[in-house]
Amino acid sequence: MLISIIVPCYNSEGTIGKVVEETMATFRKLENYECEMILVNDCSRDHTYREICRLAGKYPNVTGVNLAKNFGQHNAMMAALHYVRGEAVIGMDDDMQNHPSQIPQFLEKMEEGYDVVFGVFKQRKFSAFKNFTGAVSRFLLHHLTEQPKDIQMSSYWLARRYVVDRAMEYDGSNTFLQFLFFRTTSNIADIEVEHFRREVGSSNYNFRRSLKLFLTFVNYTAVPLRLATIFGTLFSAGGFIGAVAVLIQKLLNPRVAIGWSSLMCAMLVFFGITFLMLGILGEYIGKLLMNSNKTPQFVIRETVTKNGRRLGDQPAGRETNEEVKGAGQPRKSWEK
């Protein structure tokens, strides 16, 4: 069975070579599997793409894809999916924290009949702040989306080809790939994997990027809009009941003073909730606008393989490739 490994790369010049070497070593130990790797350079600021070109020239089963600008991790993975040929796809990070030695566990779980397998870390080796924000986001996503309650998602996953094919039908510019899996199948499992420490550099996800990724969940659920209705109803009912209670109290005891401070607090709470709901509506309208004006998921600048072929505009597996001289030759940009 051919397994496709997709790796979005950003400023990983010092680690992507080791990721590929360890992956190849892992598959050499597996008798019934072989692999291909699609490495997508998400417009890194270092020499990551030069390293990808070196790896593509060394290994015939490595394809390098260079994006024209930074589109984000999940959009880079969507670009990689258009080049996979395997019966199953594994997504992993480029920093060696998703260690290739854990891949056999995913394959064993897939052989049990599951369509999607997520690798859940036994112990998260992130900073305390990132662990806290991650826990908060996981809690919210469990309650705001259709994510199965007993399943944890992660950036280390395996999906069968038919699940990937359905995910590729999504053409929105704000992608959260794991949510697309949940829309396709419920035959999902978790496995425990080791979380290795980052060997080089630090995480590329700062608070702003993490928040932007988190907010992509509005593309896949209408729960926040329903919450706006519920909150509006509850606060309106509470305000009406409070007004009746104050009126009755004033009629029974005219000396009761109506407090200015309590009124201000109530206004702050109500207006805060109002602006929060307006912000949620703004997120939905903004996503609709970006999708309606055909904002691309990704733009591929060039691709590279060992034989120096310039890949065509058709998905991988269709024989439309054109021979060119030398690895890493530029190709015509195209958009998805």
Side-chain angles (χ1 to χ4, degrees):
M1 179 184 291
L2 177 63
I3 306 297
S4 299
I5 315 290
I6 63 173
V7 187
C9 305
Y10 184 72
N11 294 344
S12 55
E13 177 186 9
T15 56
I16 188 60
K18 192 169 184 180
V19 170
V20 173
E21 298 287 351
E22 292 284 345
T23 301
M24 298 300 177
T26 297
F27 273 89
R28 280 195 290 268
K29 300 175 185 177
L30 300 174
E31 295 182 357
N32 299 321
Y33 298 96
E34 57 182 351
C35 77
E36 66 170 0
M37 298 191 72
I38 296 90
L39 312 178
V40 181
N41 176 45
D42 194 17
C43 201
S44 300
R45 298 178 180 178
D46 60 4
H47 299 294
T48 296
Y49 189 60
R50 185 173 65 183
E51 180 67 10
I52 290 175
C53 289
R54 183 188 69 82
L55 294 167
K58 181 178 180 180
Y59 295 102
N61 57 341
V62 172
T63 297
V65 179
N66 192 27
L67 300 186
K69 65 182 289 289
N70 182 266
F71 286 90
Q73 179 184 16
H74 289 258
N75 287 33
M77 286 192 288
M78 288 293 283
L81 293 181
H82 287 74
Y83 293 90
V84 301
R85 297 180 296 111
E87 297 179 50
V89 179
I90 293 178
M92 59 192 301
D93 291 340
D94 59 348
D95 54 10
M96 288 296 291
Q97 290 190 283
N98 298 160
H99 205 276
S101 62
Q102 312 291 295
I103 289 176
Q105 299 181 53
F106 287 88
L107 300 177
E108 290 174 7
K109 199 67 177 179
M110 179 188 67
E111 292 296 341
E112 295 179 15
Y114 291 100
D115 297 326
V116 177
V117 181
F118 288 110
V120 178
F121 302 127
K122 298 178 182 178
Q123 182 179 2
R124 296 177 179 269
K125 297 183 179 180
F126 295 123
S127 64
F129 176 75
K130 190 168 183 179
N131 283 331
F132 171 74
T133 55
V136 172
S137 64
R138 287 193 298 274
F139 174 81
L140 293 175
L141 292 177
H142 266 297
H143 291 82
L144 294 177
T145 66
E146 298 179 357
Q147 178 180 347
K149 303 307 178 184
D150 56 340
I151 295 296
Q152 293 186 42
M153 62 182 177
S154 72
S155 60
Y156 203 3
W157 49 264
L158 176 148
R160 291 184 184 272
R161 181 61 180 269
Y162 91 90
V163 177
V164 168
D165 288 342
R166 297 288 77 75
M168 289 170 57
E169 295 175 356
Y170 178 79
D171 60 359
S173 60
N174 294 276
T175 308
F176 202 126
L177 190 55
Q178 286 87 331
F179 285 151
L180 298 177
F181 296 160
F182 296 142
R183 299 199 310 185
T184 304
T185 179
S186 60
N187 192 20
I188 305 172
D190 281 342
I191 60 171
E192 283 194 346
V193 296
E194 293 290 340
H195 192 201
F196 289 72
R197 291 191 179 276
R198 181 183 293 271
E199 296 186 1
V200 179
S202 58
S203 175
N204 293 309
Y205 272 102
N206 53 28
F207 179 77
R208 181 181 63 83
R209 288 178 177 173
S210 299
L211 180 62
K212 182 180 179 181
L213 176 62
F214 172 78
L215 290 177
T216 58
F217 83 91
V218 301
N219 291 300
Y220 309 99
T221 178
V223 171
L225 296 176
R226 299 190 187 106
L227 289 177
T229 303
I230 293 172
F231 277 122
T233 302
L234 290 177
F235 279 101
S236 297
F240 178 77
I241 294 172
V244 172
V246 169
L247 177 62
I248 294 174
Q249 192 176 23
K250 187 67 175 178
L251 292 175
L252 295 177
N253 184 8
R255 296 180 180 178
V256 173
I258 305 300
W260 180 86
S261 58
S262 60
L263 178 61
M264 291 297 102
C265 290
M267 290 180 64
L268 287 174
V269 171
F270 294 148
F271 280 116
I273 294 295
T274 300
F275 281 110
L276 174 63
M277 297 310 165
L278 288 175
I280 292 175
L281 290 173
E283 283 291 328
Y284 277 95
I285 294 171
K287 305 299 185 186
L288 289 173
L289 177 62
M290 294 181 68
N291 289 336
S292 65
N293 64 17
K294 303 299 181 182
T295 302
Q297 280 183 350
F298 54 85
V299 179
I300 293 178
R301 183 174 184 273
E302 60 185 18
T303 57
V304 61
T305 59
K306 182 177 177 60
N307 57 13
R309 291 187 299 175
R310 189 169 57 190
L311 301 186
D313 293 349
Q314 297 295 324
R318 301 182 184 180
E319 298 301 321
T320 59
N321 299 330
E322 178 185 356
E323 297 288 344
V324 297
K325 296 182 180 180
Q329 294 296 320
R331 51 161 292 189
K332 181 179 179 181
S333 299
W334 61 283
E335 296 184 358
K336 164 63 171 64

